[in-house]
């Protein structure tokens, strides 16, 4: 069973930067086999896609995230990252990483519209 654990969230001032990490376990070099994505969910809002990174390292970003947010991975370490800069109060949300486009494999998938199967527990980012 693949497990994902996000870290790196916390409070940050407007205009600041944070790097979120996603540690995968249970599958060797999963990011060399499976696309992964970052999502976020703000209170009262629906879950939204931030972006994805493919097994070839190619990234795609949703909406206005390109330019401020950068997704990367370290395949050999089973790690993925979300570098966020110029943060705004509206970026306040719980951020989730997810991988493997096989449909929800968890008891609870925070973004049911997504095809990703494995999800972390989320990490809170608060911008003020």
């Amino acid at each position: 069973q693949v497990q994902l654990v996000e870290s790196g969230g916390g409070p940050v001032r407007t205009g600041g930067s944070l790097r979120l990490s996603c540690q995968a376990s249970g599958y060797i070099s999963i990011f060399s086999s499976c696309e992964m994505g970052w999502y976020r969910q703000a209170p009262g809002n629906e879950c939204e896609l931030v972006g994805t990174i493919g097994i070839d390292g190619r990234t795609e970003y949703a909406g206005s995230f390109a330019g401020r947010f950068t997704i990367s991975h370290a395949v050999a370490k089973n790690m993925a990252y979300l570098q966020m800069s110029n943060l705004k109060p509206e970026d306040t949300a719980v951020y989730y990483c997810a991988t493997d486009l096989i449909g929800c494999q968890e008891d609870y998938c925070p973004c049911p519209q997504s095809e990703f199967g494995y999800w972390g527990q989320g990490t809170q980012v608060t911008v003020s």
Side-chain angles (χ1 to χ4, degrees):
Q1 177 80 2
V2 175
Q3 293 185 329
L4 301 176
V5 178
E6 302 94 339
S7 61
V12 61
R13 292 185 180 275
T14 299
S17 299
L18 272 180
R19 188 177 80 157
L20 306 183
S21 298
C22 174
Q23 174 73 67
S25 61
Y27 191 108
I28 296 174
S29 298
I30 187 168
F31 300 133
S32 67
S33 302
C34 300
E35 182 173 331
M36 72 83 59
W38 285 95
Y39 288 75
R40 72 181 190 182
Q41 187 164 27
N45 290 359
E46 291 188 357
C47 189
E48 65 175 330
L49 174 67
V50 173
T52 61
I53 184 166
I55 60 175
D56 59 358
R58 185 170 60 182
T59 54
E60 295 186 6
Y61 299 93
S64 62
F65 295 112
R68 289 195 306 127
F69 289 14
T70 302
I71 297 172
S72 61
H73 60 202
V75 171
K77 296 181 180 180
N78 254 3
M79 295 289 295
Y81 306 98
L82 176 64
Q83 178 70 47
M84 305 183 292
S85 60
N86 191 22
L87 285 162
K88 307 172 182 180
E90 51 265 41
D91 294 317
T92 294
V94 177
Y95 285 74
Y96 298 94
C97 64
T99 193
D100 206 352
L101 293 166
I102 57 171
C104 182
Q105 302 294 305
E106 309 279 6
D107 292 335
Y108 170 70
C109 289
C111 305
Q113 74 275 25
S114 169
E115 287 299 311
F116 283 112
Y118 300 104
W119 294 78
Q121 82 290 349
T123 186
Q124 175 72 48
V125 173
T126 303
V127 186
S128 61

